[in-house]
Amino acid sequence: MIYLLHMKKAILLALTGLFLIPATAQTPLRTYIDDPVKKALQIGGVQSTASSWRHPGTSSEAGAQIDLLLDRADQCINICEIKFSTQPFVIDKKYSRELEQKLAAFRQNSGSRKTLFLTFISTYGLSDTIYKEQLADADITMDALFG
């Protein structure tokens, strides 16, 4: 899948568009994105496979799309939501419901029994809300990835 749609356009052009990440046949995007995400999550030593996921949905069921999955050898999966914002990203009530539906769709349609961790990768992190506390297992900023 064209290396995860170029790792979601190189994590939304490095979340700010300020710098482009070179990708060559000898240097895959994993080196620039996947490894720093794992380091920020403190799971660098855990073998994992990065991918994206999409369920098209049906007339009776909503579809879902996940930006980045880190399917780990320790029976866990980081479900990564990648967001660009000029300020801390806010998870409101409506978006929290969408996230819960996305997690449920993944669980049901993937058949995975692994532990799911909802991970946010964003420019300036998440705004402190009750929904962040309830849903977000990890919050990675561009500083953690590229600082």
Side-chain angles (χ1 to χ4, degrees):
M1 179 190 275
I2 309 178
Y3 199 70
L4 307 179
L5 301 173
H6 295 310
M7 265 319 206
K8 190 156 185 194
K9 295 292 186 187
I11 304 286
L12 297 177
L13 291 177
L15 291 170
T16 62
L18 296 177
F19 48 96
L20 297 173
I21 298 172
T24 65
Q26 295 80 26
T27 310
L29 286 172
R30 172 188 173 98
T31 304
Y32 299 100
I33 303 300
D34 186 25
D35 293 344
V37 169
K38 288 174 63 174
K39 183 179 177 184
L41 291 169
Q42 299 179 346
I43 59 168
V46 179
Q47 183 180 12
S48 66
T49 303
S51 65
S52 58
W53 182 84
R54 184 174 176 269
H55 176 66
T58 63
S59 59
S60 62
E61 176 185 47
Q65 178 263 325
I66 295 173
D67 300 327
L68 176 65
L69 291 175
L70 292 177
D71 191 349
R72 301 163 26 184
D74 61 358
Q75 299 301 305
C76 298
I77 298 175
N78 286 85
I79 295 181
C80 301
E81 283 287 302
I82 302 170
K83 299 294 180 191
F84 173 81
S85 180
T86 57
Q87 55 195 10
F89 185 79
V90 177
I91 302 174
D92 59 15
K93 187 174 183 177
K94 179 182 176 195
Y95 186 58
S96 72
R97 286 185 186 141
E98 292 174 21
L99 290 169
E100 289 169 347
Q101 290 171 344
K102 186 180 291 197
L103 292 171
F106 177 77
R107 176 72 72 197
Q108 180 179 356
N109 293 291
S110 71
S112 177
R113 293 178 174 242
K114 294 183 177 186
T115 302
L116 304 180
F117 292 108
L118 184 56
T119 303
F120 281 83
I121 303 171
S122 60
T123 322
Y124 299 106
L126 296 174
S127 182
D128 287 327
T129 67
I130 190 156
Y131 304 108
K132 172 190 174 184
E133 292 176 24
Q134 292 173 351
L135 292 170
D137 294 300
D139 179 13
I140 301 172
T141 66
M142 70 176 170
D143 290 337
L145 294 177
F146 307 106

